[in-house]
Amino acid sequence: MATKKCSCKKAGCAKATSPAAKKAVPAKAAKAVAKKAAPKPVKIFHDKDVDTSILEGKTVAVMGYGAQGRAQALCLRDSKVNVIVGVRPGKSFKAAKNDGFPVMSVDKAAKQADIIHILLPDESHKDVYAKQIAQYVTPGKTLCCSHGFAYVFKNIVPPEGVDVIMVAPKGPGTEVRRVFEEGFGCPGLVAVFQDASGNAMKTALAIAKAEGLTRGGVLECTMQQETYEDLFGEQNVLCGGIVDLMKYGFETLIEAGYPPEMAYFECIHEAKLIVDIIYNKGIAAMNAVISNTAEFGEYYNGPKIITPDVKARMKESLKRIESGEFAKVWMKESAKGAPTLAKKRALLAQHPAEVVGAKIRKLFER
């Protein structure tokens, strides 16, 4: 990646006199695009907007003690919420015990809890709920989750008389915990799927605040919006899209005779540098710190690679998600022990990008 051009605003600056800089979108056209693209504003809640008193005297059972389960349980407890952990015997049981939580089986935790917060893998919700939780979901209780998959695709059908809410940190569990301990919070989403008490949103927001999420800002959405958008983003951009783009770029260079180590740097390693800038300041800021050559190449070659037909296929992907087709395929795959997933993992481990990547990453070990 070439280094950046001058960022000053003097008359002779390369950026200021570049062809790209001279082009401007007509004011009327810009306003028309903005008006057409402007979505309905979402509500954003912060600490000052939320009262956590609704959690007083309540017991929250965190079901599962993986990265999210541990992070959310610890943050809730630090905020003086009464937390118990429901998990089967094993590594997670011992970890929760070592962290000082009352730990028990899922069914016992469900029986004791006022708020049942299920943080298990999507594919296990249906079976665990049916066998260990459902009988204890009585009127007045609340079901909570951090991803709406099970409810939107009806793997869990809640009874009447209970609230069903979602509190979803927009970050991995390790990040949720880290920023909480630093005195800030990971942004998140809240949604109400079923409001039997009339206070479901108050409960969701109170949990979000107790986990530190309202320090960063919590957006109100529907569970369907979160589920569909989350699956779409993972499959088309964040995981499926980026990973395949990296692999194709890497393969193209080594098949043309370029050193694999250099191909790894150019197509995989440096992606973090670019994404970090976008994460912190946005796409325009990223373009402001790369070279003019790199930026012009973005406009020149990018649209030739990611063509309009990619967007068309993304729309087809979204339809498969919204229709429930993907969920059915995944649940069927999971029920068989996920053999296809296991094969894909094995193949990826053998890909030259992974082999070369392991070698390159050792260069950065301290």
Side-chain angles (χ1 to χ4, degrees):
M1 176 66 67
T3 55
K4 184 53 187 168
K5 59 267 184 169
C6 175
S7 60
C8 71
K9 298 181 179 179
K10 294 180 180 179
C13 176
K15 178 70 175 178
T17 58
S18 68
K22 293 178 181 179
K23 293 180 180 179
V25 178
K28 289 184 178 180
K31 288 181 179 180
V33 171
K35 185 176 181 180
K36 182 179 179 180
K40 182 180 179 181
V42 296
K43 291 183 180 178
I44 303 177
F45 299 90
H46 295 280
D47 277 359
K48 61 181 177 60
D49 305 312
V50 184
D51 179 7
T52 59
S53 62
I54 196 168
L55 298 179
E56 292 177 3
K58 301 284 182 65
T59 295
V60 177
V62 172
M63 305 301 194
Y65 206 69
Q68 279 292 345
R70 182 175 188 271
Q72 293 190 42
L74 288 171
C75 294
L76 286 167
R77 186 176 67 182
D78 286 352
S79 297
K80 311 304 179 185
V81 176
N82 183 37
V83 180
I84 60 177
V85 174
V87 67
R88 62 186 178 185
K91 184 178 178 181
S92 294
F93 190 101
K94 292 178 181 177
K97 202 76 174 175
N98 289 338
D99 284 336
F101 286 103
V103 190
M104 60 202 75
S105 62
V106 170
D107 56 342
K108 288 183 179 179
K111 185 176 182 180
Q112 290 187 29
D114 299 292
I115 300 170
I116 301 169
H117 193 14
I118 306 175
L119 294 175
L120 299 165
D122 293 329
E123 64 271 22
S124 65
H125 281 212
K126 183 177 182 178
D127 188 58
V128 173
Y129 179 84
K131 294 179 179 178
Q132 301 181 64
I133 297 176
Q135 61 182 314
Y136 301 112
V137 183
T138 52
K141 289 196 174 187
T142 297
L143 285 170
C144 185
C145 64
S146 287
H147 179 40
F149 188 100
Y151 298 97
V152 171
F153 297 118
K154 299 182 179 179
N155 292 328
I156 294 178
V157 179
E160 295 181 2
V162 301
D163 289 346
V164 182
I165 60 176
M166 180 191 74
V167 181
K170 294 307 293 178
T174 50
E175 182 72 2
V176 172
R177 184 59 181 164
R178 181 183 68 81
V179 293
F180 180 93
E181 290 182 313
E182 291 175 352
F184 191 55
C186 179
L189 305 174
V190 290
V192 172
F193 189 74
Q194 185 167 293
D195 189 4
S197 69
N199 291 314
M201 181 55 74
K202 290 183 179 179
T203 301
L205 288 171
I207 292 173
K209 183 175 181 177
E211 293 182 355
L213 309 186
T214 48
R215 298 174 189 171
V218 168
L219 282 64
E220 181 182 2
C221 65
T222 68
M223 209 174 280
Q224 288 86 352
Q225 287 173 331
E226 182 276 334
T227 300
Y228 299 149
E229 286 190 326
D230 188 75
L231 293 175
F232 176 85
E234 290 170 349
Q235 294 172 28
N236 294 273
V237 181
L238 304 177
C239 304
I242 289 176
V243 170
D244 280 343
L245 192 62
M246 288 177 170
K247 284 161 56 181
Y248 285 145
F250 177 88
E251 291 167 3
T252 298
L253 285 176
I254 64 172
E255 288 168 10
Y258 293 92
E261 294 81 3
M262 290 179 65
Y264 185 86
F265 271 121
E266 292 299 335
C267 298
I268 300 175
H269 174 83
E270 290 192 24
K272 180 186 185 304
L273 310 180
I274 295 299
V275 170
D276 280 352
I277 299 170
I278 295 173
Y279 175 88
N280 288 311
K281 296 184 178 181
I283 297 173
M286 180 273 292
N287 282 335
V289 298
I290 62 176
S291 69
N292 282 324
T293 306
E295 184 181 7
F296 182 74
E298 171 189 330
Y299 307 133
Y300 173 76
N301 244 333
K304 292 179 173 63
I305 304 302
I306 307 301
T307 55
D309 64 303
V310 172
K311 185 175 179 180
R313 291 196 297 272
M314 283 184 170
K315 290 184 176 181
E316 293 171 2
S317 169
L318 182 57
K319 288 179 180 178
R320 289 193 293 271
I321 290 168
E322 292 174 334
S323 69
E325 179 184 338
F326 167 76
K328 290 178 182 177
V329 171
W330 167 230
M331 293 304 293
K332 185 177 180 180
E333 163 77 7
S334 176
K336 294 187 293 185
T340 303
L341 181 60
K343 289 179 181 178
K344 294 292 185 181
R345 284 175 177 166
L347 286 172
L348 178 60
Q350 298 168 17
H351 192 280
E354 282 295 278
V355 177
V356 174
K359 178 181 176 181
I360 294 297
R361 289 189 293 274
K362 287 183 179 180
L363 299 176
F364 295 88
E365 291 180 357
R366 298 183 182 181

